[in-house]
Amino acid sequence: MTQDRHHSSHLFDDARILLNEVLDELDTSEDVRQRLLQPNLSLQVGVHVRMDDGSLKVFPGWRTQYDTSLGPAKGGIRFHPSVDQQEVGTLSFWMAVKCAVLGLPYGGGKGGVQVDPKALSSLELERLSRGYLRAIADVIGPDRDIPAPDMNTNATIMGWMSDEYDAIQRDQIPAALTGKPIALGGSLGRVAATGRGALQVLDLWAERNERKPEDTTIAVQGFGNAAYHFARLAHQRGYRIVAISDSKGAIHHPEGLDPDPIKEEKTRNQRLKGMVYCENSVCEHKGAKTIEQEELLALDVDVLALGALENQIHVDNVESVRAGLLLEIANGPVTREADEALAKRNVPVLPDVLANAGGVVVSYYEWIQNRSGEYWEEDSVNQRLAERMTREAQRVMERAETRNIPYRRAAYLLGLERISEAILARGQCHRCE
């Protein structure tokens, strides 16, 4: 646990340093700075779960709401052994910035439970999900804080939580959570939205740099929901996916890989056993060479798409990165020190607060559909997603190019500028002109 706490503290420190640097550049009120240095609310709970063997276990959980000047908090729930309060707080800050960058009427939210969900049976996982929802029910709702899926949570888990929230409220409130099954008011297009949005940002960058998909090689770290759909859609667009990894290993094929049969092999055992999580690996694919996960990060490719965990590119391995561009599909995969080292080498990074925002954009569309009672066709959802992602990505890229600054700095300037304006408009700042 000491290492996990250090990891979370490092994330939080990096976030605060960047926040202060950008606020200095914006020259905004000190009152705005003070409001943004801490979350509005950080709730810790104990989630009581009766295990299948009759024993009782209590898992620590958290829900954090960052600045909500733009609207109710919005953000996912992750189940992972390393989750702690600082990690959830940092993730909620990133969500606040991300929602602002995409022009969404939301503040930042995030939740998590410190658990290895793959060690639980399906029934234990359902009890955990419902228990966590009961523990945070008093601080969420469609006008206060709207949870969604994140690492190791999915539509099935959101369905359990939505049902539990309806039972607590004695009402049907589909807009209280997003990322739900379609049968419970989920939006078409939500499952692939994060990967699709990341590809749209990459497409825009490629277009602005006169690069064709068929001339662009990509290595994909991670093969969860977001990274898989990114790889699948990128392959369809003509990009050459030359390497893929998951938590158990990595594979490489210079001529290119088709993500769909790899996914099929990886999930076959999951379907047969009726499991919630996949136990197989991409390494079981026979048509490619198995390599070490660190080797994938050092491949000579045009794009390194990071879709796994935080802090994957750091001071100890950044010099081995040979990719021409990094695309952050995961949250915080590049540390601040590594980011600075890449900038000195003129290696651009398309940041998480822009590149992986497709999921929250379509969650916003789900929220709108739930509140109006009118549901959209998938083509309409995808079109709206493409229009918003392209519009806001263009703003970020134009600002970065005009001012000759990294894309991350440009994105934070745009997001924090919008949050600061909302704080000032609410009259919550005193020493302001």
Side-chain angles (χ1 to χ4, degrees), residues 237-390:
R237 281 278 287 126
Y239 291 94
R240 183 150 47 104
I241 310 297
V242 298
I244 294 171
S245 73
D246 61 14
S247 60
K248 297 182 180 179
I251 53 175
H252 178 228
H253 196 306
E255 299 304 312
L257 297 162
D258 184 346
D260 277 336
I262 299 171
K263 180 70 169 179
E264 177 70 20
E265 291 174 28
K266 182 177 166 70
T267 57
R268 185 181 296 116
N269 191 49
Q270 177 185 8
R271 288 196 305 274
L272 290 173
K273 293 186 177 181
M275 297 182 297
V276 177
Y277 301 107
C278 181
E279 291 184 342
N280 290 6
S281 170
V282 298
C283 295
E284 296 178 27
H285 182 67
K286 304 302 181 186
K289 176 186 176 183
T290 300
I291 61 174
E292 296 296 323
Q293 292 163 318
E294 280 292 322
E295 288 183 73
L296 180 141
L297 300 177
L299 288 174
D300 186 5
V301 292
D302 297 311
V303 179
L304 175 59
L306 299 166
L309 295 167
E310 298 94 349
N311 290 355
Q312 296 300 294
I313 304 299
H314 45 77
V315 69
D316 294 327
N317 68 2
V318 67
E319 293 305 321
S320 68
V321 172
R322 291 188 287 167
L325 171 79
L326 274 64
L327 176 71
E328 294 187 332
I329 303 175
N331 289 311
V334 180
T335 67
R336 183 174 58 85
E337 294 91 343
D339 212 28
E340 292 172 352
L342 291 166
K344 289 177 182 177
R345 288 165 46 192
N346 294 316
V347 178
V349 179
L350 293 172
D352 48 6
V353 292
L354 173 65
N356 73 15
V360 71
V361 170
V362 176
S363 275
Y364 168 57
Y365 296 154
E366 181 177 331
W367 182 72
I368 292 173
Q369 293 171 82
N370 291 158
R371 305 197 78 157
S372 68
E374 180 181 351
Y375 289 83
W376 310 335
E377 296 296 327
E378 186 167 359
D379 286 347
S380 177
V381 174
N382 290 341
Q383 181 182 349
R384 292 169 191 251
L385 171 64
E387 289 172 354
R388 185 176 288 266
M389 292 296 300
T390 301

Side-chain angles (χ1 to χ4, degrees), residues 3-259:
Q3 185 176 1
D4 291 338
R5 282 197 298 270
H6 174 73
H7 157 81
S8 299
S9 177
H10 187 64
L11 283 177
F12 189 68
D13 290 343
D14 279 4
R16 287 184 65 150
I17 289 170
L18 182 55
L19 170 64
N20 279 310
E21 288 176 353
V22 172
L23 290 179
D24 285 344
E25 194 166 339
L26 288 173
D27 194 26
T28 190
S29 161
E30 181 61 23
D31 286 12
V32 171
R33 186 190 306 272
Q34 290 303 316
R35 285 182 59 84
L36 292 177
L37 284 173
Q38 299 293 337
N40 289 4
L41 176 146
S42 184
L43 174 69
Q44 180 171 351
V45 298
V47 184
H48 298 200
V49 178
R50 184 65 64 185
M51 309 302 283
D52 290 345
D53 64 3
S55 65
L56 180 72
K57 289 190 177 179
V58 182
F59 300 94
W62 296 268
R63 186 69 189 175
T64 298
Q65 296 165 9
Y66 221 87
D67 183 81
T68 52
S69 300
L70 287 168
K74 186 82 188 76
I77 297 166
R78 61 174 50 187
F79 291 168
H80 195 272
S82 70
V83 169
D84 62 20
Q85 186 171 18
Q86 283 195 316
E87 179 182 74
V88 171
T90 305
L91 291 165
S92 70
F93 166 69
W94 287 339
M95 278 301 303
V97 176
K98 185 185 304 181
C99 290
V101 170
L102 271 294
L104 303 178
Y106 290 139
K110 211 71 177 184
V113 178
Q114 193 178 95
V115 60
D116 178 3
K118 298 180 183 180
L120 304 181
S121 70
S122 182
L123 284 174
E124 289 169 340
L125 184 63
E126 181 174 354
R127 294 182 203 119
L128 175 78
S129 303
R130 291 178 180 274
Y132 174 74
L133 190 283
R134 286 194 301 272
I136 67 167
D138 288 343
V139 301
I140 67 170
D143 295 308
R144 184 172 183 184
D145 183 357
I146 307 104
D150 193 75
M151 188 183 298
N152 292 327
T153 57
N154 53 27
T156 298
I157 290 171
M158 291 302 107
W160 294 334
M161 291 187 179
S162 181
D163 179 65
E164 192 69 24
Y165 189 75
D166 287 351
I168 291 168
Q169 300 297 328
R170 297 186 178 274
D171 199 355
Q172 296 283 328
I173 311 177
L177 296 97
T178 59
K180 304 180 297 296
I182 301 300
L184 296 181
S187 176
L188 295 170
R190 174 62 181 85
V191 173
T194 303
R196 186 181 298 277
L199 178 60
Q200 287 158 354
V201 174
L202 178 61
D203 277 343
L204 180 63
W205 176 85
E207 179 184 325
R208 295 174 74 89
N209 288 273
E210 300 181 341
R211 176 180 287 278
K212 296 179 180 179
E214 56 268 26
D215 298 328
T216 305
T217 56
I218 304 178
V220 182
Q221 187 206 30
F223 208 54
N225 177 68
Y228 159 66
H229 284 291
F230 165 77
R232 174 181 67 84
L233 294 167
H235 175 72
Q236 290 177 6
R237 281 278 287 126
Y239 291 94
R240 183 150 47 104
I241 310 297
V242 298
I244 294 171
S245 73
D246 61 14
S247 60
K248 297 182 180 179
I251 53 175
H252 178 228
H253 196 306
E255 299 304 312
L257 297 162
D258 184 346

